[in-house]
Amino acid sequence: MAHIVVENLAKSFHIAERQPGLWGALRGLAHRRTREIKALDGISFSLEPGELVGYIGPNGAGKSTTVKVLAGILVPDAGRVEVLGRVPWKERVANVQRIGVVFGQRTQLWWDLPVVESFELLRDIYRLSPAGYAATRDELIGLLDLGPFLDVPVRQLSLGQRMRCDLAASLLHRPALLYLDEPTIGLDAVGKLAVRDFLRTINRERGVTIILTTHDMDDIEALCPRVLVIHRGKILSDGSLAELRVRVTTERRLTIDLLEGVGEISDPDVTVLRREGHRVYLRFDPARTSAAELIGRISARYPLRDLYVENPPIEEIIARLYADVQRREGHV
């Protein structure tokens, strides 16, 4: 059975609008004007047990709204949603017993309490058995290296430390599903790597199904075999990053480091993107010429110090996808 089933999900919000100044405020009292925002516009997808799925899109695309509906926080206007066989907003208590949620800019820990006391409060909220709680807590402390700051008040933790504690808190009741909304926001490189390693571990070893919403494409590339792209409340793409790249562009990049004294680079199958000193960035279509053929021609004509081939950055691929959609809709 699929862990999550979403069919034709829709959710709109009405935003109050008024003209600026005192006159605008007075008119707003007499004649309130609102504007409808379609946060979700008939989206559909499903997740099988054990999947780790990236859910990406620009600000306001509908990512957080989707997570809140799946968590039972919001009631949609239309559509069908089942999470582990339940309708989340109708069976909220049963739903939250099987899910974990982490919002990167909020915490579920008690600000003035030591971390371990927050864990104990959550133990009582979820009505966990003492033995089961202790085993899970100790496992999470080891995986996330929480021992040095268990007795520290949450308000005194660094952002990276707090995020690791929030991850542990969301998993104390051993949920089958984990929703992560920007879990690495503001973290340094070490903190991000620690969070990624942990997510891989719980997904692989515990089989926890994970939805990861983020603007950090490095997180997506490192963790997610499948990616959902949402824009203006609609799903634009559902598949692997490789499939997304092929859909948007087949081009690849060749970066070459030239020896001194080399002038312009010219080849009929490449476009020079830019040049920075002796380093030149080239673009080519592998459907017209293979990387091996191109490297052979370039190295035969120009003295090279080094070179490497890569795909366009995933951020650029996503930006192109959004731009193509906006052009089709006539917004740009």
Side-chain angles (χ1 to χ4, degrees):
M1 181 183 72
H3 271 183
I4 296 176
V5 177
V6 175
E7 294 179 355
N8 301 314
L9 181 62
K11 178 65 179 178
S12 296
F13 299 96
H14 289 85
I15 308 298
E17 293 183 333
R18 69 172 179 83
Q19 296 178 345
L22 178 60
W23 178 242
L26 293 174
R27 289 191 62 183
L29 290 174
H31 302 285
R32 182 172 293 274
R33 185 174 63 184
T34 62
R35 175 168 55 94
E36 184 183 44
I37 302 293
K38 290 186 176 181
L40 299 174
D41 191 7
I43 68 170
S44 300
F45 63 88
S46 64
L47 266 68
E48 296 301 318
E51 283 199 86
L52 201 169
V53 177
Y55 194 37
I56 61 177
N59 291 328
K63 303 185 299 297
S64 295
T65 300
T66 305
V67 170
K68 289 174 181 177
V69 170
L70 295 176
I73 298 171
L74 290 178
V75 178
D77 301 329
R80 170 178 170 247
V81 177
E82 286 190 4
V83 176
L84 299 169
R86 300 184 178 92
V87 179
W89 59 90
K90 291 183 178 179
E91 302 173 77
R92 288 180 175 172
V93 174
N95 183 56
V96 298
Q97 289 176 342
R98 301 296 309 282
I99 67 170
V101 183
V102 175
F103 291 99
Q105 301 187 61
R106 302 178 182 89
T107 183
Q108 59 188 308
L109 305 172
W110 281 261
W111 201 242
D112 293 314
L113 294 181
V115 172
V116 69
E117 291 187 22
S118 287
F119 288 175
E120 290 168 358
L121 283 171
L122 290 168
R123 174 199 63 195
D124 295 337
I125 290 170
Y126 286 108
R127 301 177 181 177
L128 304 176
S129 68
Y133 161 75
T136 303
R137 178 201 61 200
D138 293 345
E139 179 187 8
L140 293 169
I141 289 171
L143 286 172
L144 288 163
D145 192 23
L146 305 182
F149 40 88
L150 282 176
D151 296 321
V152 177
V154 172
R155 57 184 167 79
Q156 294 181 5
L157 298 176
S158 69
L159 181 59
Q161 291 170 341
R162 182 177 64 76
M163 183 53 59
R164 283 149 59 193
C165 291
D166 267 310
L167 281 169
S170 70
L171 292 163
L172 285 171
H173 56 298
R174 302 189 77 86
L177 272 167
L178 182 60
Y179 305 134
L180 302 172
D181 192 2
E182 297 284 358
T184 61
I185 188 169
L187 298 189
D188 60 20
V190 174
K192 287 183 179 182
L193 289 175
V195 169
R196 290 173 194 164
D197 288 342
F198 175 72
L199 295 179
R200 284 193 201 95
T201 299
I202 63 168
N203 175 251
R204 182 177 60 250
E205 297 183 3
R206 285 195 185 183
V208 176
T209 304
I210 300 174
I211 293 183
L212 171 64
T213 76
T214 181
H215 291 292
D216 191 328
M217 294 300 102
D218 289 337
D219 288 346
I220 296 296
E221 288 194 280
L223 292 170
C224 303
R226 178 184 171 196
V227 180
L228 293 167
V229 182
I230 186 170
H231 183 59
R232 290 198 175 107
K234 295 182 178 181
I235 299 293
L236 300 185
S237 177
D238 181 358
S240 68
L241 279 179
E243 293 168 342
L244 178 58
R245 287 184 187 277
V246 171
R247 173 182 171 183
V248 175
T249 181
T250 60
E251 75 175 42
R252 300 191 74 190
R253 304 289 171 80
L254 173 63
T255 302
I256 58 176
D257 288 336
L258 300 167
L259 295 176
E260 295 184 11
V262 178
E264 295 297 319
I265 300 296
S266 176
D267 187 279
D269 292 325
V270 303
T271 300
V272 178
L273 296 175
R274 67 185 188 277
R275 181 166 182 166
E276 299 172 355
H278 300 301
R279 176 164 290 185
V280 184
Y281 298 86
L282 307 172
R283 178 175 64 200
F284 70 97
D285 184 350
R288 291 180 56 188
T289 182
S290 70
E293 291 172 348
L294 181 59
I295 290 170
R297 291 205 306 266
I298 294 291
S299 60
R301 295 176 190 170
Y302 307 99
L304 305 181
R305 180 180 290 110
D306 198 4
L307 62 84
Y308 59 93
V309 179
E310 62 183 350
N311 290 311
I314 188 61
E315 292 89 349
E316 185 177 317
I317 298 296
I318 299 299
R320 286 192 192 184
L321 179 63
Y322 297 155
D324 288 345
V325 172
Q326 289 175 329
R327 275 193 291 270
R328 288 198 298 269
E329 293 177 349
H331 291 289
V332 295

